[in-house]
Amino acid sequence: MKTLTSRQKQILEFIDGFGRDHGYAPSIRDIVKGCAISSTSVVDYNLRILEREGLLRRDAEVSRGIVRLGQGRRGNRTIPVLGQIAAGFPIPVPAADTWATAIEGETVEVSHELTRGIEDVYALRVKGTSMIDALINDGDLVLMRSTNHADNGDMVAAWLKAEQEVTLKKIYFEGDQVRLQPMNATMSPIYSDAANVEVQGKVLGVIRQM
Amino acid sequence: MKTLTSRQKQILEFIDGFGRDHGYAPSIRDIVKGCAISSTSVVDYNLRILEREGLLRRDAEVSRGIVRLGQGRRGNRTIPVLGQIAAGFPIPVPAADTWATAIEGETVEVSHELTRGIEDVYALRVKGTSMIDALINDGDLVLMRSTNHADNGDMVAAWLKAEQEVTLKKIYFEGDQVRLQPMNATMSPIYSDAANVEVQGKVLGVIRQM
DNA sequence: TGTCTTAGAGAACGACTGTTCTACCGGAGA
DNA sequence: TCTCCGGTAGAACAGTCGTTCTCTAAGACA
């Protein structure tokens, strides 16, 4: 990338500032005024360069059609809070329609850093202190990736069919057995038949508010 | 708030969708096409209602001057990660210049929900498992509000002057004594002279990525 | 039945705005 | 000196876009 001229940096900064102040992009003439430039063609000229450099996108013949690209502008993901998780209480694996209806309810906003671009993410509010061994407290929000697959050592929400309960544990596959390991050394792991265990989701992160 | 008509909901959803797709707001005529409405005046009429209900803001005579308000659209805060915290290692209370230089370094993006509009927020990365009693693990990010004041029961970063160390504990003021309470019942609280304890910050939240 | 309110349709006006064409200027290179 | 090029000016054009005025229609209410 070629280094930007001071004018181009100035225009870029003006666009960002204008967006923060107004909530929409400036017009060419807004930039003319804001950067003390005397002609719209100069702005157009420099915007073409900035677009070529990949710093913004322009939609032809659209008023205020400048969209800033690059840096941390990607915004938030809105994640549905599908329900609560507590020992002995099943979590519904979200189906397409569950998803839609959940949108109406509680949601959290998280940055892309946390979800890392993963699509099927939902959140569960932890009820009770039964997960305290896993450093997860009452009221915490766990970000879950909806999946039926897990790797050794992943922290998962596991559905124990016979026991009819869900626990949040680390999972280890040992032959046709599955070991569900609490994160507290003083607690014993649960061993179960692999057929009896169904992975409902993988924990991506934890958010706690105080 | 009066309940919205289906047309108003439709327009609202179209605006949100258009914004996601294009990065800028639709024009009135975009809404006309997108919602199969036959006149711009109908859109204008409904937009006025939506504006009155506080669901959006319109800037007069500005192309694509619709700004969606309400729900979780407020965008992110960029929080500087000022350093690490580990037992026995002092946290610098951020001064104005520390702040500026830290901006250049690592940052996290968090939604406004977490910071609740509070200004002086910084983050610390937890090193080691010395805070595990407080349900905070190695590598976690603690969101701190920079303050010298704390209320009874707040979780704070406390600087013990004589011992030259910082701990993350619940704080209780008991006369001229201060009780620093770990969050694990099997551990004993630390009692210290009030003059020996300096609150450096209050924990607002914890973010853990797995 | 007549009036008011809500909702929608259609068209026209004028301001807003992106695009483009021509011209000017200074420095680098031949 | 002449030419080319990056950068700048100014102006005109045409399409975009918000606003507003007039009309229509259906339901509520007295």
Side-chain angles (χ1 to χ4, degrees):
Chain A
M1 165 156 62
K2 297 170 76 173
T3 49
L4 301 178
T5 65
S6 62
R7 177 138 287 182
Q8 283 150 17
K9 284 182 202 160
Q10 184 193 16
I11 291 176
L12 224 41
E13 277 169 30
F14 177 77
I15 294 172
D16 289 338
F18 192 98
R20 274 193 298 275
D21 290 347
H22 296 84
Y24 45 82
S27 67
I28 303 266
R29 283 168 182 81
D30 287 331
I31 300 174
V32 163
K33 283 181 202 121
C35 297
I37 297 171
S38 52
S39 174
T40 58
S41 63
V42 176
V43 174
D44 183 65
Y45 171 77
N46 285 290
L47 285 180
R48 281 170 196 276
I49 293 170
L50 291 171
E51 186 174 22
R52 195 198 327 128
E53 296 294 329
L55 292 165
L56 48 85
R57 179 169 60 77
R58 293 175 80 193
D59 281 9
E61 293 175 15
V62 167
S63 296
R64 302 176 186 275
I66 298 173
V67 181
R68 277 287 275 122
L69 304 174
Q71 44 255 46
R73 52 75 241 183
R74 294 210 305 171
N76 284 348
R77 277 282 295 285
T78 301
I79 305 292
V81 179
L82 290 189
Q84 301 178 347
I85 177 175
F89 193 78
I91 318 168
V93 171
D97 55 338
T98 321
W99 213 270
T101 53
I103 294 288
E104 309 287 339
E106 191 188 356
T107 58
V108 246
E109 295 246 326
V110 303
S111 72
H112 284 273
E113 282 174 46
L114 250 82
T115 60
R116 275 161 275 168
I118 295 165
E119 282 303 317
D120 299 329
V121 178
Y122 59 99
L124 297 170
R125 173 126 4 232
V126 175
K127 268 293 157 196
T129 55
S130 61
M131 245 83 74
I132 206 154
D133 310 315
L135 301 182
I136 296 174
N137 205 358
D138 182 48
D140 285 4
L141 221 45
V142 283
L143 285 183
M144 306 287 302
R145 167 187 200 166
S146 178
T147 177
N148 295 315
H149 171 264
D151 293 319
N152 252 346
D154 280 347
M155 185 151 177
V156 298
W159 170 242
L160 300 174
K161 294 175 189 170
E163 293 83 352
Q164 289 271 313
E165 62 176 52
V166 169
T167 42
L168 216 50
K169 294 275 191 311
K170 280 203 174 187
I171 195 167
Y172 294 93
F173 300 95
E174 303 180 339
D176 53 357
Q177 285 277 98
V178 169
R179 175 162 56 94
L180 296 171
Q181 182 75 46
M183 287 183 71
N184 186 328
T186 67
M187 288 181 67
S188 307
I190 299 171
Y191 289 92
S192 180
D193 199 74
N196 188 45
V197 176
E198 189 180 289
V199 173
Q200 296 203 321
K202 222 157 139 172
V203 176
L204 280 178
V206 181
I207 297 173
R208 182 180 311 144
Q209 241 179 313
M210 284 150 181
Chain B
M1 164 157 60
K2 298 170 75 170
T3 49
L4 301 178
T5 65
S6 62
R7 176 138 289 181
Q8 282 149 18
K9 283 183 201 158
Q10 184 193 18
I11 290 176
L12 223 42
E13 277 169 30
F14 178 75
I15 293 172
D16 289 338
F18 192 98
R20 274 194 297 276
D21 290 347
H22 296 85
Y24 46 81
S27 67
I28 304 268
R29 283 168 183 80
D30 287 332
I31 300 174
V32 164
K33 283 182 203 124
C35 297
I37 296 171
S38 52
S39 174
T40 57
S41 63
V42 177
V43 175
D44 183 63
Y45 170 75
N46 285 290
L47 285 180
R48 281 171 196 275
I49 294 170
L50 291 171
E51 186 174 24
R52 196 201 322 132
E53 296 294 327
L55 292 165
L56 48 84
R57 178 169 60 77
R58 293 174 80 193
D59 280 10
E61 293 176 14
V62 168
S63 296
R64 301 176 186 277
I66 298 173
V67 182
R68 275 288 274 121
L69 303 174
Q71 42 256 43
R73 56 69 247 184
R74 295 208 306 172
N76 284 348
R77 277 281 295 284
T78 301
I79 305 293
V81 179
L82 289 188
Q84 301 178 348
I85 177 175
F89 192 77
I91 318 168
V93 172
D97 55 337
T98 321
W99 213 270
T101 52
I103 295 289
E104 309 288 339
E106 191 188 356
T107 58
V108 247
E109 297 242 327
V110 303
S111 72
H112 284 272
E113 282 175 45
L114 250 80
T115 60
R116 276 160 275 166
I118 295 164
E119 282 303 317
D120 299 330
V121 178
Y122 59 99
L124 297 170
R125 179 143 336 250
V126 175
K127 268 294 157 195
T129 54
S130 60
M131 245 83 74
I132 207 154
D133 309 315
L135 301 182
I136 296 174
N137 204 359
D138 182 48
D140 285 3
L141 223 44
V142 283
L143 285 184
M144 306 287 302
R145 166 188 201 165
S146 177
T147 178
N148 295 315
H149 171 264
D151 294 319
N152 251 347
D154 280 348
M155 185 151 176
V156 299
W159 171 240
L160 299 174
K161 292 174 188 170
E163 293 84 351
Q164 290 270 308
E165 62 176 52
V166 170
T167 42
L168 218 49
K169 295 275 191 307
K170 280 204 176 188
I171 194 167
Y172 295 92
F173 299 95
E174 304 180 338
D176 54 356
Q177 285 276 98
V178 169
R179 175 162 56 96
L180 295 172
Q181 183 74 46
M183 287 184 69
N184 186 328
T186 68
M187 287 183 67
S188 306
I190 300 171
Y191 289 92
S192 181
D193 200 72
N196 188 45
V197 176
E198 189 181 291
V199 173
Q200 296 204 322
K202 221 158 140 173
V203 176
L204 280 180
V206 180
I207 297 173
R208 183 180 310 144
Q209 241 180 314
M210 283 150 179

